């Protein structure tokens, strides 16, 4: 039985404990329903109320939602604010400057506490240094940094002066970095000499140098380098500067630049089903509002809580739930530089124990990989650590199979912590469908119900609602404040990707399939319905990997599909036709390794195919269309039961079906 089928047959229900409900922000299903109904009744009033209560405005808004240029919506448009002021100054002004904002644990275990006062000063210094270098409101700054306090400081410093940041995950290749620098039109790049992961130093500055040398990004005048390891780096005089040197003599005060609510807060690239990655453009007020609000609702975050989100700042989760959400509400959070298996696979549990974490948020793929090791080695099993401070657990990024859910619940949550399985996307800015820890009865593998104000639904190919119990396309029926505003530089693509004509042009198309339970109406996500793969919670376009493969001089043709994988959720399988004859045996192995490394260089190690199969051709219809459905079956090792009579070359299936 596949993970999805077993979710659909899941009968276990875990109601919230009295302890979880007591004092929760949303303390039961009645409270949830009241909020959801309020949003239905007075949609704009609902959102306006939250925006007034949760954010500090320099100039209050008078308009709420403007739909006149749909699907280019605006929210709170005439209001003015600054995200960095909301995340830092207002807590310091309220006398909480000595509270810890970030408890940073380095790869080697060194712990550094950063208070709100410290963070404000560091952000202000860098903001002043950026201004001195001519970075101004509306400019784009690319950030290519490891998990570090400096990463958060860089993001906050940009938004403090009204610059829009675009963070590129430190695992991306120079080519991926170059494409993003060019597309976003960056004027500056903030990077590090190296990053430390699992005891190893990995280069960043040299990759950044390569990316800049690849051309198209001549507008980048400044490269600011955080010295993490002291490793040797090449230096371009006049362009490169050490972060610690340029902030040294800057003032620790920097007046925030007040921006309009719709001013782009950040642009974050993500994969789609076609073409190059899309620059998902987020607004200042809407995204900050929802990051803060969901900290309160989904995580029930209260004073005294210690929050830990294990995501990297290079992904949306690290934006909304490290760099913005926790800071916007004045929380204390743990931030971790390293990897969950170094120096041993009990690192997460050891850190929860050490820092007395109360709310822990991670990806199913991490849980699944830790199950394997800890069931084999008691020393690194969560039961060997004191996890009694934990009160809420969360997951994000991919479906969690009920087995992993139960293990997480029993072993990490000691059977006592609600698990919030949060469904959302880069484009949604924050949580969309998720349990509420003090309200929602949990069903393993289901993300349960939409948050108040989020009009999620399941429809058919024409945009009509399907009855509960019947699978369909996941959509959102009304705009919400934290939704993306545009695809950077490509409004047409924004419209066609997210508001397709086939669905009537008004529904937000998430790209996932979903089904709602007949009785409860709970949502279960069935995975992507487009050519997007989810490998370890990382989003990859099959087309991107295919383009990378065919860019190799040996390759004539390539098709990439996903295959379910016990640990990574999905694994990349590539079917490749070489320009020369089909390789076999050791030669096939050697070329496969070469191609895998090639993809690593072209995109980044996360995109490397797990399995590469060579054929003399690919299965095609007589009109030349590659039959991906068949490739998916072959990748899974399934017997082909489909009708193959329309295939031009059925014999090819035998060749591609055999495991390498
Ligand atoms: C895609 C979005 C959400 C931030 C990290 C990933 C999948 C995400 C869940 C979940 C099932 C999930 C979807 C979605 N996804 N959360 N709780 N259950 N699937 O953001 O890279 O933009 O990817 O991740 O397929 O469309 P992203």
């Amino acid at each position: 039985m596949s993970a999805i089928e077993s979710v659909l047959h899941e009968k276990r229900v875990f109601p919230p404990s009295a302890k979880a409900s007591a004092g929760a922000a949303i303390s039961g299903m009645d409270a949830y329903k009241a909020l959801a109904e309020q949003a239905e009744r007075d949609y704009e009033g609902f959102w306006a109320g939250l925006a007034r209560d949760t954010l500090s405005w320099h100039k209050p808004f008078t308009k709420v939602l403007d739909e006149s240029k749909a699907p280019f919506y605006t929210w709170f448009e005439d209001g003015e604010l600054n995200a960095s002021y909301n995340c830092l100054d207002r807590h310091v002004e309220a006398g909480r400057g000595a509270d810890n904002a970030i408890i940073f644990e380095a790869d080697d275990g060194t712990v550094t506490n950063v208070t709100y006062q410290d963070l404000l000063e560091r952000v202000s210094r860098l903001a002043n240094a950026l201004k001195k270098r001519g970075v101004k409101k509306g400019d784009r700054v690319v950030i290519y940094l490891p998990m570090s306090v400096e990463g958060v400081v860089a993001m906050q410093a940009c938004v403090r002066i009204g610059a829009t940041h675009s963070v590129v995950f430190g695992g991306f290749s120079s080519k991926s970095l170059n494409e993003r620098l060019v597309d976003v039109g960056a004027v500056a790049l903030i990077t590090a000499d190296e990053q430390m992961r699992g005891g190893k130093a990995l280069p960043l500055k040299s990759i950044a140098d390569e990316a800049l040398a690849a051309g198209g990004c001549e507008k980048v005048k400044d490269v600011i380098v955080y010295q993490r390891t002291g490793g040797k780096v090449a230096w371009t005089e006049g362009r490169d500067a050490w972060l610690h040197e340029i902030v040294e003599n800057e003032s620790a005060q920097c007046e925030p630049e007040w921006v309009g609510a719709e001013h782009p807060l950040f642009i974050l690239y993500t994969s789609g089903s076609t073409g190059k990655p899309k620059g998902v453009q987020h607004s200042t007020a809407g995204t900050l509002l929802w990051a803060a609000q969901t900290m309160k609702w989904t995580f029930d975050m209260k004073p005294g809580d210690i929050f830990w989100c294990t995501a990297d700042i290079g992904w949306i989760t690290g934006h909304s739930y490290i760099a913005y959400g926790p800071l916007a509400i004045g929380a204390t959070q743990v931030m971790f530089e390293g990897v969950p298996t170094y120096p041993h696979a009990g690192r997460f549990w050891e850190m929860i124990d050490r820092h007395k974490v109360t709310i822990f948020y991670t990806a199913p793929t991490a849980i699944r990989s830790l199950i394997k090791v800890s069931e084999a080695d008691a020393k690194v099993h969560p039961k060997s650590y004191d996890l009694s401070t934990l009160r809420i657990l969360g997951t994000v990024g991919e479906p969690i199979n009920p087995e992993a859910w139960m293990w997480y619940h029993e072993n990490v949550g000691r059977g006592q912590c609600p698990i919030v399985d949060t469904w959302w996307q880069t484009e949604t800015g924050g949580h969309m469908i998720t349990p509420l820890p003090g309200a929602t009865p949990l069903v393993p593998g289901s993300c349960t119900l939409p948050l108040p104000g989020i009009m999620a639904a399941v429809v058919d190919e024409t945009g009509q609602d399907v009855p509960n119990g019947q699978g369909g396309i996941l959509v959102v029926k009304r705009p919400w404040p934290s939704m993306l505003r545009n695809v950077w530089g490509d409004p047409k693509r924004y419209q066609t990707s997210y508001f397709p004509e086939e669905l009537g042009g008004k529904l937000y198309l998430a790209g996932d399939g979903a089904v709602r339970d007949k009785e409860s109406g709970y949502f279960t996500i069935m995975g992507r319905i487009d050519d997007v793969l989810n490998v370890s919670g990382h989003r990859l376009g099959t087309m991107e990997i295919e383009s990378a493969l065919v860019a190799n001089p040996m390759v004539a043709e390539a098709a990439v599909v996903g295959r379910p994988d016990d640990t990574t959720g999905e694994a990349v399988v590539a079917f490749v036709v070489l320009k020369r004859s089909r390789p076999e045996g050791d030669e096939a192995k050697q070329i496969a390794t070469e191609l895998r490394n090639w993809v690593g260089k072209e995109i980044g190690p996360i995109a490397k195919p797990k399995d590469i199969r060579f054929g003399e051709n690919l299965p095609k219809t007589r009109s030349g269309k590659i039959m991906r459905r068949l490739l998916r079956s072959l990748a899974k090792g399934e017997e082909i039961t489909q009708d193959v009579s329309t295939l031009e070359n059925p014999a090819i299936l035998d060749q591609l079906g055999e495991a390498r």
Side-chain angles (χ1 to χ4, degrees), residues 118-442:
D118 295 337
L119 198 57
L120 173 60
E121 290 179 9
R122 286 170 71 169
V123 167
S124 300
R125 283 206 169 87
L126 179 57
N128 284 328
L130 287 171
K131 275 207 282 197
K132 190 168 280 170
R133 278 160 181 74
V135 180
K136 47 183 198 314
K137 181 176 171 184
D139 283 345
R140 275 84 57 207
V141 175
V142 166
I143 297 173
Y144 185 61
L145 282 173
M147 282 295 281
S148 53
V149 174
E150 283 69 14
V152 175
V153 168
M155 293 162 85
Q156 289 281 343
C158 287
V159 304
R160 191 163 189 90
I161 61 171
T164 298
H165 62 69
S166 188
V167 183
V168 177
F169 173 59
F172 275 122
S173 66
S174 64
K175 184 149 182 261
S176 297
L177 176 59
N178 171 269
E179 281 168 7
R180 286 156 174 79
L181 283 163
V182 173
D183 191 78
V184 87
V187 301
L189 171 65
I190 308 178
T191 187
D193 51 357
E194 295 178 307
Q195 55 181 330
M196 286 303 298
R197 287 173 70 79
K200 285 201 231 33
L202 303 164
L204 278 179
K205 172 68 163 64
S206 63
I207 298 174
D209 286 338
E210 254 176 62
L212 291 164
C217 34
E218 289 69 28
K219 276 175 42 189
V220 178
K221 292 281 177 273
D222 291 278
V223 176
I224 297 168
V225 189
Y226 157 48
Q227 193 167 46
R228 169 61 186 92
T229 63
K232 220 169 118 60
V233 291
W235 209 250
T236 303
E237 283 307 330
R239 183 195 75 181
D240 299 353
W242 289 111
L243 175 69
H244 60 272
E245 287 179 3
I246 63 169
V247 297
E248 209 168 38
N249 295 317
E250 290 296 340
S251 157
Q253 264 157 25
C254 173
E255 180 66 13
E257 177 84 34
W258 305 109
V259 299
E262 284 295 315
H263 185 72
L265 181 67
F266 59 79
I267 295 158
L268 184 58
Y269 284 82
T270 192
S271 296
S273 47
T274 55
K276 290 216 153 99
K278 303 180 268 204
V280 170
Q281 179 186 326
H282 276 286
S283 73
T284 299
T287 299
L288 190 65
L289 164 62
W290 204 224
Q293 193 63 49
T294 49
M295 285 300 298
K296 298 184 199 170
W297 281 353
T298 311
F299 295 123
D300 188 34
M301 190 78 202
K302 295 194 199 75
D305 271 317
I306 309 276
F307 178 73
W308 181 18
C309 164
T310 68
D312 193 283
I313 51 166
W315 309 113
I316 189 69
T317 310
H319 280 58
S320 300
Y321 298 106
I322 295 176
Y324 292 107
L327 298 179
I329 65 162
T332 299
Q333 66 176 320
V334 171
M335 191 176 177
F336 177 41
E337 179 181 44
V339 298
T341 48
Y342 177 82
H344 56 79
R347 183 74 182 261
F348 274 3
W349 326 129
E350 185 183 83
M351 282 182 61
I352 292 171
D353 187 345
R354 175 156 51 239
H355 301 297
K356 308 204 169 1
V357 171
T358 61
I359 303 168
F360 179 64
Y361 192 34
T362 196
T365 198
I367 299 167
R368 286 193 298 263
S369 66
L370 294 176
I371 293 176
K372 284 193 194 158
V373 275
S374 55
E375 291 305 328
D377 178 3
K379 282 202 301 296
V380 298
H381 195 281
K383 291 206 160 137
S384 304
Y385 299 87
D386 178 4
L387 306 182
S388 61
T389 52
L390 282 175
R391 66 182 192 91
I392 291 164
L393 302 175
T395 68
V396 57
E398 40 171 339
I400 179 161
N401 48 308
E403 298 71 32
W405 195 101
M406 287 305 301
W407 186 90
Y408 194 33
H409 189 253
E410 282 165 12
N411 296 288
V412 184
R414 311 162 331 275
Q416 291 171 29
C417 303
I419 298 178
V420 291
D421 173 356
T422 60
W423 176 85
W424 60 296
Q425 310 177 290
T426 303
E427 293 87 341
T428 70
H431 302 154
M432 299 292 279
I433 309 179
T434 175
L436 296 164
T440 319
L442 306 169

Side-chain angles (χ1 to χ4, degrees), residues 451-468:
L451 284 165
I454 301 300
M455 307 302 179
V458 181
V459 301
D460 65 17
E461 277 87 17
T462 66
Q464 298 302 307
D465 283 306
V466 301
N468 286 357

